[in-house]
């Protein structure tokens, strides 16, 4: 049976600034997944990646993955799919390794692995088996509200326990407040949060906005932002091309600006860009695409109503 959202964006040209890679072995990257969903809905995807995910050498995470190295921790908290992918790449290649990062001693305490929304799909049996042989020791936590703040709330009081947070380094961009705020919230909740360098988020370079500013560029119906870092990357790319956001808006005045969730929307607005559409469901990209489809439907209804009124 056809999905309810099938062809809900038919014919729409949708630009998106999402990075195309995950920075490790984690299946399809964010940009690839968003582009595939747009095509499923009949849209014409326009990838304009303004940031890139660069993998670290696995040695950067290896100190946390030595035999028993995670035993002093009570939890492992991921805020991105790229973080899970990088951590997976650094884990022992199989559960048959002599010793794993989490011991399976009978006296060992329970251990929580937490992730947001559909990112938790990567926390499968194969991933968990390379953490600990005792499947009963490890629990996967996916918060009802798929935000870093929601993750902190779902973890509860830390009572001095330690949590390891594989998060990105940032190169060539200002670090968005998302990760620092997340770590601060954990500490305020009584956790001892330790930051682990999982990968690098960097600017995609001076030509990243070319598909929007080229003289023969077709007008996008919408642009989707999935993180505030993407917006900073776009603004840098526009500046490098001799453009600005006001000039781009003047060129494409009907372009709808959509943000994937309220955290992203807040970051976009902080950088001086007005947001037209914010998804209320943001555990996956379906939420922002549903919100975008609803906006276009509303616009079309208003146009049809005006036309009908004028014809009488």
């Amino acid at each position: 049976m056809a999905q309810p959202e099938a062809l809900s964006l038919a014919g729409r040209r949708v630009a998106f600034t999402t990075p195309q890679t995950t920075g490790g072995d984690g299946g399809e990257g964010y940009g690839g997944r968003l582009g595939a969903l747009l095509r499923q809905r009949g849209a014409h995807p326009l990838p304009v990646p303004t940031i890139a995910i660069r993998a670290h050498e696995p040695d950067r995470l290896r100190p946390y993955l030595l035999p028993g190295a995670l035993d002093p921790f009570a939890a492992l908290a991921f805020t991105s799919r790229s973080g899970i992918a990088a951590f997976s790449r650094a884990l022992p290649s199989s559960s048959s390794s002599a010793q794993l990062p989490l011991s399976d001693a009978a006296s060992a305490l329970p251990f929580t692995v937490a992730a947001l929304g559909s990112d938790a799909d990567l926390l499968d049996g194969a991933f968990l088996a390379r953490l600990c042989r005792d499947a009963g020791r490890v629990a996967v936590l996916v918060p009802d509200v798929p935000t870093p703040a929601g993750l902190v709330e779902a973890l509860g009081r830390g009572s001095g326990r330690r949590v390891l947070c594989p998060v990105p380094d940032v190169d060539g961009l200002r670090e968005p407040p998302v990760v620092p705020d997340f770590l601060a919230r954990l500490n305020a909740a009584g956790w001892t949060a330790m930051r682990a360098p999982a990968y690098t988020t960097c600017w995609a370079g001076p030509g990243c906005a070319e598909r929007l500013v080229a003289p023969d560029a077709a007008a996008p119906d919408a642009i989707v932002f999935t993180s505030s870092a993407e917006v900073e990357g776009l603004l840098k790319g526009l500046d490098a091309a001799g453009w600005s956001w006001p000039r781009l808006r003047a060129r494409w005045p009907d372009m709808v600006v959509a943000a994937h969730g309220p955290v992203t929307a807040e970051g976009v607005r902080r950088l001086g860009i007005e947001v037209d559409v914010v998804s209320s469901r943001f555990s996956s990209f379906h939420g922002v695409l549903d919100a975008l489809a609803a906006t276009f439907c509303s616009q079309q209804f208003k146009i049809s109503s005006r036309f009908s009124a004028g014809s009488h």
Side-chain angles (χ1 to χ4, degrees):
M1 187 170 70
Q3 294 294 318
E5 68 270 8
L7 303 182
S8 61
L9 294 171
R12 299 292 185 175
R13 187 173 175 81
V14 181
F16 56 100
T17 52
T18 317
Q20 297 294 302
T21 56
T22 61
D25 299 330
E28 194 172 26
Y30 285 116
R33 290 166 58 222
L34 181 51
L37 290 176
L38 284 165
R39 284 189 291 274
Q40 287 173 16
R41 290 169 179 250
H44 302 295
L46 177 64
V48 189
T50 59
I51 61 173
I53 304 299
R54 191 169 66 225
H56 284 331
E57 289 300 316
D59 288 347
R60 296 284 301 276
L61 285 172
R62 201 145 284 154
Y64 306 102
L65 303 176
L66 296 173
L70 289 180
D71 285 341
F73 294 87
L76 177 62
F78 293 104
T79 57
S80 73
R81 193 177 188 91
S82 297
I84 301 174
F87 202 84
S88 179
R89 194 165 65 99
L91 278 170
S93 58
S94 75
S95 58
S96 62
S97 299
Q99 289 180 289
L100 299 179
L102 276 173
S103 68
D104 51 2
S107 59
L109 296 174
F111 188 86
T112 299
V113 183
L116 302 175
S118 60
D119 293 353
D121 295 345
L122 297 184
L123 303 179
D124 56 14
F127 179 96
L128 299 178
R130 291 185 293 141
L131 276 180
C132 183
R133 287 190 187 84
D134 181 4
R137 184 184 174 190
V138 181
V140 173
L141 175 67
V142 183
D144 292 335
V145 180
T147 64
L151 195 156
V152 174
E153 184 175 351
L155 281 169
R157 295 296 303 172
S159 302
R161 291 175 297 167
R162 301 175 73 188
V163 54
L164 185 66
C165 307
V167 295
D169 293 328
V170 180
D171 182 23
L173 300 165
R174 290 169 295 180
E175 182 174 33
V178 175
V179 168
D181 286 355
F182 172 61
L183 299 175
R185 285 175 182 269
L186 283 168
N187 289 323
W191 290 89
T192 300
M194 179 171 290
R195 181 174 186 150
Y199 59 98
T200 296
T201 298
C202 57
W203 184 37
C208 66
E210 180 60 28
R211 299 190 74 177
L212 293 175
V213 303
D216 59 349
D221 294 292
I223 185 166
V224 176
F225 297 122
T226 60
S227 76
S228 60
E230 298 165 25
V231 181
E232 186 183 350
L234 175 62
L235 295 177
K236 287 187 68 171
L238 290 172
D239 184 64
W243 280 62
S244 65
W245 176 255
R247 182 181 173 189
L248 189 70
R249 275 309 255 161
R251 186 185 193 190
W252 312 126
D254 296 327
M255 180 176 68
V256 175
V257 177
H260 177 50
V263 173
T264 297
E266 181 183 351
V268 174
R269 293 181 178 121
R270 191 176 57 249
L271 290 166
I273 292 179
E274 199 54 48
V275 177
D276 303 308
V277 176
V278 183
S279 53
S280 57
R281 294 187 302 107
F282 39 93
S283 60
S284 75
F285 290 139
H286 283 291
V288 71
L289 298 187
D290 286 344
L292 201 54
T295 297
F296 287 138
C297 184
S298 175
Q299 288 178 346
Q300 193 62 44
F301 176 78
K302 289 176 182 177
I303 292 170
S304 299
S305 298
R306 285 199 298 269
F307 178 79
S308 297
S311 62
H312 293 303

